[in-house]
Amino acid sequence: MIRLGGVNEQTHKSPPAVVIVGAGMAGVQTAVALREQGFTGPVTLLGAEPHPPYDRPPLSKAVLLGTAEGAAFDVDFAALDIELRLGVEATALRAADHALDTTAGPVPYGVLVLATGAEPLTLPGTDGLPGVHLLRTLDDARRLRPVLAAAPEAVVIGAGWIGAEFATAARRAGCAVTVVEAADRVLAGALPAEVAAPMADWYAQAGARLITGARVAGIEPGGAGAPGRVLLADGGELPATAVVVGIGARPATGWLAGTGVERGPDGSVTADAHLRTSLADVYAVGDCASFPSARYGARLLVHHWDNALQGPRTVATNILAAAAGVPAAVYDPVPYFWSEQFGRFVQYAGHHGGADTLLWRGDPAGATWSVCWLREGALVAVFAVGRPRDLAQGRKLIESGARVDPERVADPAVPLKAAAL
């Protein structure tokens, strides 16, 4: 018997063995969701890192500052009968054999879930240079913690989300911080110029130096006890006893080349609306996968925590649906993320690509404000700084597809939910 959505479906087949590649949020939640939804077959979770699975948001906050040792998920894998295999990296996929090649040998599967996440982009020629750091894994955060404790002159390359979060932690630790961004503004790939502009002022207010429109030509490490230098393309130099590179991430899917798994130009696995890949019995979820959104009329690649939490529930539902021979569920969420930087709580819900109207709620020079995007009269995205109620109410309006009154949306004294027509 397989339980699906509260309905029992009779089947004479044994449940397939599910193998999940990647023990981050998406992989762990897929395994947990399978058990929560009544899946009784074997579930194997493969993690490339040696650490028990952990959450990533605390890495740039509590773990980095030393107020927490780790961020392990509170999941009893043994009690859930989930086989957790750590330090096992997938190297190839042989779809014809329904087998996965790994550093620990071949692993057969009935159903495979790709949840390998994303890997940080690096600056060419900087691998292995002393004093140059990334901030993506638990080991990265632990290596950086004593560096911050020494209060160095830190240079952050990249003024995106991770760059701002690291700069926040570094200033809190008493470090001198310079942030270098190749684009002419902060968050160039995430927000329109007019929305990102007031956020640039946050750096100076926190005592960090921000340099935009500056490309890094190279990094020269210093001798023992002496600062190194970050060399800029315009001939400038920045002293640095530590350099943190935060220039973005790409889906960790290089190992899938030649396997028959369709990938897009950005490297993401091109999942369908049910999070199935181009190969039978293979799903993809989280940071490594893009999916078509009927809500927004676009294919979305969402590198954020909430996507890695929500997508696995759909994958688990559809694995059970395939076994029961019932229709698959569609994945079309309202994307959501949050960030803490320079004493501000920042949230975003939706997707503003294709919006035709931008409305401000509040003064961007103030402590709290929001931005709303409309398309054909309906709210499609909201960005909130210190206004969590705007975010919560706006997200519900986006999910409902309700049209809104622009004048009421633009009035910060009017609750967003009251703007619905």
Side-chain angles (χ1 to χ4, degrees), residues 334-402:
V334 174
Y336 167 77
F337 76 88
W338 59 273
S339 176
E340 291 179 297
Q341 48 186 265
F342 307 116
R344 295 166 175 84
F345 185 51
V346 177
Q347 296 172 284
Y348 178 97
H351 175 68
H352 63 267
D356 51 44
T357 304
L358 185 154
L359 300 171
W360 291 86
R361 286 172 61 82
D363 182 357
T368 65
W369 48 275
S370 298
V371 174
C372 294
W373 288 268
L374 311 185
R375 185 180 64 205
E376 298 178 355
L379 186 68
V380 293
V382 57
F383 177 71
V385 177
R387 292 178 66 95
R389 187 170 298 177
D390 278 2
L391 190 289
Q393 295 180 9
R395 191 177 186 182
K396 290 180 179 179
L397 288 173
I398 297 169
E399 288 172 346
S400 70

Side-chain angles (χ1 to χ4, degrees), residues 73 107 182 347:
F73 292 116
V107 177
Q347 296 172 284

